[in-house]
Amino acid sequence: MASSTPLQPVVSFSGVSKLFGKVVAAKNLNLDVHGGEFLSFLGPSGCGKTTMLRMIAGFEQPSEGDVYLQGQRVNGVPAYRRPGNMVFQHYALFPHLNIARNIAYGLKQASPKLSPSIIDERVDEALELVQLGGYQQRRIWELSGGQQQRVALARALINKPEVLLLDEPLAALDRKLRREMQIELQNLQRNVGITFILVTHDQEEALSMSDRVCIMREGEIVQVGSPRDLYDNPLNRYVADFVGKSNFFDGVVESSDDGLQQLKLDNGQRLAIDATTNSGPLFSGHRVTLSIRPEQIILSREAKRLPDDVALVIEAEVRNRIFLGEHTEYLLHDAAFGEFLALAPRQLEANEKPFEVNEKIFVCWSRAAGLLLDNMTQLQKPQSRPSGEENERR
């Protein structure tokens, strides 16, 4: 039987660094992006995610290392000669051109030149793809923000690039429209089969749309993985805090036996957690951070209604309550634990009326709910693309 050959990455970073004067925008980046996947660069402003996108596009060149597109080293290759297109945050549409001429702009620069009939046919196909059929003669100012974003996508896709680069294209849209466009982008990416690379600082956007997410900090890659893996198995506190909400309590391991960690928190509380870290087994004296997701916290007015398998039970005061539709967010306070968050689903409040501000309630979480973050764990090593359930969006 012939052995299968691994697919060649569409985009690769090999030891890439980028300096602007003395400012390090990217440091020793190693990453492979494969054909047909939707990958997002996620991180706060100034973390290097847009610099990575611009080095793929050809608008910036690496100071060290190599960038590869389709296996070819592209250091120094100008943007117009690279097999990718970019959708900018503010769309960069031409206000003096109608929709059809905006979309056709790239095709008209092609060599050899295409006939007008072929260009018109391709424009019509691109507009149908983004659900704007019949809009050819409209002007940019006659479109909503969501429609302008679709025009920008059609203009980028009409050249059939190997990779589509998206620089926070949904940032200017309101929340409802942004959610609708996230779904449309997912569907579009499935239909065209092109590799999408998105830059965003919005964690919900990255988690809901991506096959994989690349978490960045201060010009370095911290962790790469599927949305579920990053949420359930963050490498360190930075990732756990950036991907979703979490409560953090520092402490030390007192003992470890068959996966059951006995902890003493810095607030003096002792509890047992059925958890391990990504870095392997922990030993007595190991400094850790206990992460508890708000949705893992159980609330009740009666202690007898709490489950048996709990790590501890405390009585906390409700400091604030925010109704968010599908759930209610509570800010709780305990003398030892300080302030922390809990999320109560609507079903809980259907059985037990909402908790009131200043009310004292019982709070607990199960031994399996806690995640231990090794305080010694730093940045992730170079990685490869995951497979199986981690590509679950498809």
Side-chain angles (χ1 to χ4, degrees):
M1 178 184 292
S3 61
S4 60
T5 302
L7 293 176
Q8 178 176 273
V10 173
V11 178
S12 288
F13 285 82
S14 178
V16 171
S17 296
K18 177 63 180 178
L19 284 73
F20 294 98
K22 295 183 178 180
V23 177
V24 179
K27 180 180 179 182
N28 194 30
L29 303 175
N30 294 281
L31 179 70
D32 289 341
V33 185
H34 290 261
E37 76 169 321
F38 197 133
L39 181 132
S40 292
F41 293 132
L42 177 64
S45 297
C47 70
K49 56 187 186 295
T50 298
T51 299
M52 288 189 74
L53 201 72
R54 290 176 65 84
M55 285 192 287
I56 298 171
F59 300 132
E60 303 289 351
Q61 301 298 329
S63 303
E64 298 176 5
D66 299 306
V67 177
Y68 295 88
L69 295 179
Q70 297 178 303
Q72 300 296 314
R73 182 176 179 272
V74 293
N75 295 31
V77 176
Y80 66 86
R81 292 184 57 193
R82 299 194 182 196
N85 276 353
M86 191 163 180
V87 177
F88 297 92
Q89 182 173 342
H90 299 293
Y91 312 145
L93 300 173
F94 301 119
H96 63 290
L97 301 180
N98 63 21
I99 303 308
R101 293 175 67 191
N102 260 281
I103 295 173
Y105 184 83
L107 285 183
K108 291 182 177 180
Q109 315 309 312
S111 180
K113 289 187 176 296
L114 302 174
S115 68
S117 62
I118 291 178
I119 290 177
D120 290 344
E121 181 181 340
R122 294 271 294 273
V123 168
D124 292 345
E125 291 173 354
L127 282 170
E128 290 294 336
L129 189 63
V130 297
Q131 301 179 28
L132 286 179
Y135 279 62
Q136 285 87 338
Q137 300 307 315
R138 293 204 186 185
R139 296 287 180 168
I140 297 301
W141 61 81
E142 296 177 319
L143 304 183
S144 68
Q147 290 170 331
Q148 290 183 30
Q149 195 250 17
R150 293 185 203 178
V151 172
L153 284 169
R155 185 177 64 180
L157 291 168
I158 198 168
N159 289 326
K160 299 181 180 179
E162 291 294 327
V163 57
L164 185 66
L165 308 174
L166 303 158
D167 186 10
E168 302 199 53
L170 310 182
L173 306 180
D174 63 67
R175 181 179 178 85
K176 185 174 185 296
L177 182 56
R178 187 164 63 245
R179 183 56 186 155
E180 291 174 358
M181 290 308 302
Q182 287 171 8
I183 295 172
E184 289 199 22
L185 270 177
Q186 285 181 308
N187 293 336
L188 181 62
Q189 195 260 344
R190 288 193 190 100
N191 290 336
V192 299
I194 293 173
T195 301
F196 278 28
I197 301 179
L198 171 74
V199 159
T200 182
H201 62 270
D202 187 323
Q203 57 169 280
E204 179 183 340
E205 188 170 289
L207 295 180
S208 64
M209 297 170 66
S210 309
D211 296 314
R212 286 193 300 157
V213 180
C214 176
I215 306 291
M216 299 195 66
R217 178 182 63 185
E218 298 178 356
E220 297 185 77
I221 295 173
V222 183
Q223 187 174 358
V224 184
S226 71
R228 174 172 291 183
D229 188 47
L230 293 175
Y231 192 85
D232 291 341
N233 301 292
L235 187 67
N236 52 34
R237 178 168 178 161
Y238 176 82
V239 176
D241 195 27
F242 207 86
V243 180
K245 296 180 179 180
S246 196
N247 302 294
F248 300 104
F249 309 105
D250 293 326
V252 65
V253 176
E254 289 194 313
S255 65
S256 179
D257 184 27
D258 294 329
L260 191 66
Q261 316 286 341
Q262 299 288 340
L263 307 180
K264 180 181 179 181
L265 301 182
D266 292 351
N267 62 20
Q269 294 282 341
R270 284 184 164 87
L271 68 156
I273 290 293
D274 182 16
T276 58
T277 69
N278 284 346
S279 59
L282 299 175
F283 304 98
S284 177
H286 206 125
R287 290 289 301 176
V288 294
T289 295
L290 172 64
S291 171
I292 304 291
R293 296 290 188 184
E295 67 272 16
Q296 298 280 8
I297 295 178
I298 303 167
L299 310 176
S300 179
R301 287 188 172 90
E302 301 179 38
K304 65 181 181 181
R305 298 181 62 180
L306 298 175
D308 297 328
D309 183 26
V310 297
L312 84 169
V313 179
I314 59 176
E315 193 173 6
E317 178 185 352
V318 178
R319 287 286 178 88
N320 198 6
R321 183 182 70 191
I322 302 175
F323 177 71
L324 297 173
E326 69 275 15
H327 59 258
T328 301
E329 181 179 277
Y330 290 98
L331 178 64
L332 306 172
H333 179 267
D334 172 75
F337 286 88
E339 290 186 340
F340 57 98
L341 289 175
L343 296 181
R346 287 291 295 273
Q347 186 59 42
L348 171 67
E349 297 192 335
N351 300 327
E352 188 170 15
K353 69 177 183 178
F355 304 108
E356 302 294 336
V357 174
N358 298 325
E359 185 178 358
K360 288 274 192 175
I361 61 175
F362 291 100
V363 178
C364 75
W365 56 79
S366 71
R367 287 199 295 266
L371 176 67
L372 291 184
L373 305 174
D374 183 354
N375 287 356
M376 300 299 293
T377 302
Q378 297 299 321
L379 300 182
Q380 176 172 291
K381 302 299 182 184
Q383 45 64 56
S384 58
R385 186 188 188 192
S387 59
E389 68 173 4
E390 294 189 357
N391 213 12
E392 63 186 20
R393 186 178 65 78
R394 301 194 178 280

PDB file of all heavy atoms in Angstrom, residues 98-100 134-139 142:
ATOM      1  N   ASN A  98     -19.793  51.993  -9.052  1.00  0.00           N
ATOM      2  CA  ASN A  98     -20.943  51.215  -8.604  1.00  0.00           C
ATOM      3  C   ASN A  98     -20.483  49.845  -8.109  1.00  0.00           C
ATOM      4  O   ASN A  98     -19.286  49.520  -8.150  1.00  0.00           O
ATOM      5  CB  ASN A  98     -22.001  51.104  -9.708  1.00  0.00           C
ATOM      6  CG  ASN A  98     -21.489  50.356 -10.939  1.00  0.00           C
ATOM      7  OD1 ASN A  98     -20.519  49.598 -10.881  1.00  0.00           O
ATOM      8  ND2 ASN A  98     -22.149  50.571 -12.075  1.00  0.00           N
ATOM      9  N   ILE A  99     -21.434  49.037  -7.678  1.00  0.00           N
ATOM     10  CA  ILE A  99     -21.087  47.755  -7.053  1.00  0.00           C
ATOM     11  C   ILE A  99     -20.362  46.840  -8.043  1.00  0.00           C
ATOM     12  O   ILE A  99     -19.333  46.229  -7.728  1.00  0.00           O
ATOM     13  CB  ILE A  99     -22.353  47.057  -6.520  1.00  0.00           C
ATOM     14  CG1 ILE A  99     -23.088  47.960  -5.532  1.00  0.00           C
ATOM     15  CG2 ILE A  99     -21.981  45.730  -5.864  1.00  0.00           C
ATOM     16  CD1 ILE A  99     -22.244  48.506  -4.426  1.00  0.00           C
ATOM     17  N   ALA A 100     -20.886  46.744  -9.256  1.00  0.00           N
ATOM     18  CA  ALA A 100     -20.276  45.853 -10.245  1.00  0.00           C
ATOM     19  C   ALA A 100     -18.837  46.255 -10.539  1.00  0.00           C
ATOM     20  O   ALA A 100     -17.940  45.398 -10.615  1.00  0.00           O
ATOM     21  CB  ALA A 100     -21.102  45.866 -11.529  1.00  0.00           C
ATOM     22  N   GLY A 134     -28.430  41.206  -8.430  1.00  0.00           N
ATOM     23  CA  GLY A 134     -29.231  42.333  -8.859  1.00  0.00           C
ATOM     24  C   GLY A 134     -28.773  43.682  -8.343  1.00  0.00           C
ATOM     25  O   GLY A 134     -29.381  44.710  -8.647  1.00  0.00           O
ATOM     26  N   TYR A 135     -27.676  43.700  -7.577  1.00  0.00           N
ATOM     27  CA  TYR A 135     -27.187  44.954  -6.982  1.00  0.00           C
ATOM     28  C   TYR A 135     -26.094  45.611  -7.839  1.00  0.00           C
ATOM     29  O   TYR A 135     -25.454  46.555  -7.394  1.00  0.00           O
ATOM     30  CB  TYR A 135     -26.628  44.686  -5.587  1.00  0.00           C
ATOM     31  CG  TYR A 135     -27.676  44.604  -4.497  1.00  0.00           C
ATOM     32  CD1 TYR A 135     -28.656  43.628  -4.525  1.00  0.00           C
ATOM     33  CD2 TYR A 135     -27.662  45.497  -3.435  1.00  0.00           C
ATOM     34  CE1 TYR A 135     -29.611  43.540  -3.523  1.00  0.00           C
ATOM     35  CE2 TYR A 135     -28.614  45.415  -2.417  1.00  0.00           C
ATOM     36  CZ  TYR A 135     -29.590  44.426  -2.486  1.00  0.00           C
ATOM     37  OH  TYR A 135     -30.528  44.363  -1.491  1.00  0.00           O
ATOM     38  N   GLN A 136     -25.889  45.149  -9.037  1.00  0.00           N
ATOM     39  CA  GLN A 136     -24.748  45.597  -9.833  1.00  0.00           C
ATOM     40  C   GLN A 136     -24.657  47.112  -9.982  1.00  0.00           C
ATOM     41  O   GLN A 136     -23.558  47.683  -9.919  1.00  0.00           O
ATOM     42  CB  GLN A 136     -24.803  44.958 -11.238  1.00  0.00           C
ATOM     43  CG  GLN A 136     -24.412  43.497 -11.277  1.00  0.00           C
ATOM     44  CD  GLN A 136     -25.586  42.573 -10.989  1.00  0.00           C
ATOM     45  OE1 GLN A 136     -26.585  42.983 -10.376  1.00  0.00           O
ATOM     46  NE2 GLN A 136     -25.472  41.314 -11.400  1.00  0.00           N
ATOM     47  N   GLN A 137     -25.771  47.783 -10.186  1.00  0.00           N
ATOM     48  CA  GLN A 137     -25.745  49.209 -10.507  1.00  0.00           C
ATOM     49  C   GLN A 137     -25.878  50.114  -9.279  1.00  0.00           C
ATOM     50  O   GLN A 137     -25.855  51.335  -9.419  1.00  0.00           O
ATOM     51  CB  GLN A 137     -26.877  49.520 -11.501  1.00  0.00           C
ATOM     52  CG  GLN A 137     -26.777  48.755 -12.806  1.00  0.00           C
ATOM     53  CD  GLN A 137     -25.417  48.906 -13.470  1.00  0.00           C
ATOM     54  OE1 GLN A 137     -24.874  50.015 -13.555  1.00  0.00           O
ATOM     55  NE2 GLN A 137     -24.848  47.782 -13.935  1.00  0.00           N
ATOM     56  N   ARG A 138     -26.003  49.537  -8.123  1.00  0.00           N
ATOM     57  CA  ARG A 138     -26.147  50.373  -6.928  1.00  0.00           C
ATOM     58  C   ARG A 138     -24.819  51.023  -6.557  1.00  0.00           C
ATOM     59  O   ARG A 138     -23.740  50.551  -6.918  1.00  0.00           O
ATOM     60  CB  ARG A 138     -26.668  49.550  -5.757  1.00  0.00           C
ATOM     61  CG  ARG A 138     -28.095  49.072  -5.953  1.00  0.00           C
ATOM     62  CD  ARG A 138     -28.757  48.807  -4.635  1.00  0.00           C
ATOM     63  NE  ARG A 138     -30.074  48.221  -4.810  1.00  0.00           N
ATOM     64  CZ  ARG A 138     -30.916  47.970  -3.806  1.00  0.00           C
ATOM     65  NH1 ARG A 138     -30.550  48.247  -2.564  1.00  0.00           N
ATOM     66  NH2 ARG A 138     -32.097  47.443  -4.046  1.00  0.00           N
ATOM     67  N   ARG A 139     -24.919  52.100  -5.775  1.00  0.00           N
ATOM     68  CA  ARG A 139     -23.751  52.816  -5.288  1.00  0.00           C
ATOM     69  C   ARG A 139     -23.449  52.408  -3.851  1.00  0.00           C
ATOM     70  O   ARG A 139     -24.325  51.932  -3.120  1.00  0.00           O
ATOM     71  CB  ARG A 139     -23.987  54.325  -5.361  1.00  0.00           C
ATOM     72  CG  ARG A 139     -24.159  54.846  -6.791  1.00  0.00           C
ATOM     73  CD  ARG A 139     -22.839  54.855  -7.508  1.00  0.00           C
ATOM     74  NE  ARG A 139     -22.973  55.345  -8.894  1.00  0.00           N
ATOM     75  CZ  ARG A 139     -21.943  55.663  -9.656  1.00  0.00           C
ATOM     76  NH1 ARG A 139     -20.705  55.535  -9.191  1.00  0.00           N
ATOM     77  NH2 ARG A 139     -22.123  56.079 -10.885  1.00  0.00           N
ATOM     78  N   GLU A 142     -25.598  53.573  -0.968  1.00  0.00           N
ATOM     79  CA  GLU A 142     -26.961  53.060  -0.943  1.00  0.00           C
ATOM     80  C   GLU A 142     -27.066  51.727  -0.202  1.00  0.00           C
ATOM     81  O   GLU A 142     -28.162  51.177  -0.088  1.00  0.00           O
ATOM     82  CB  GLU A 142     -27.479  52.886  -2.375  1.00  0.00           C
ATOM     83  CG  GLU A 142     -27.594  54.182  -3.151  1.00  0.00           C
ATOM     84  CD  GLU A 142     -28.030  53.981  -4.589  1.00  0.00           C
ATOM     85  OE1 GLU A 142     -27.550  53.022  -5.244  1.00  0.00           O
ATOM     86  OE2 GLU A 142     -28.860  54.785  -5.051  1.00  0.00           O
TER      87      GLU A 142
END
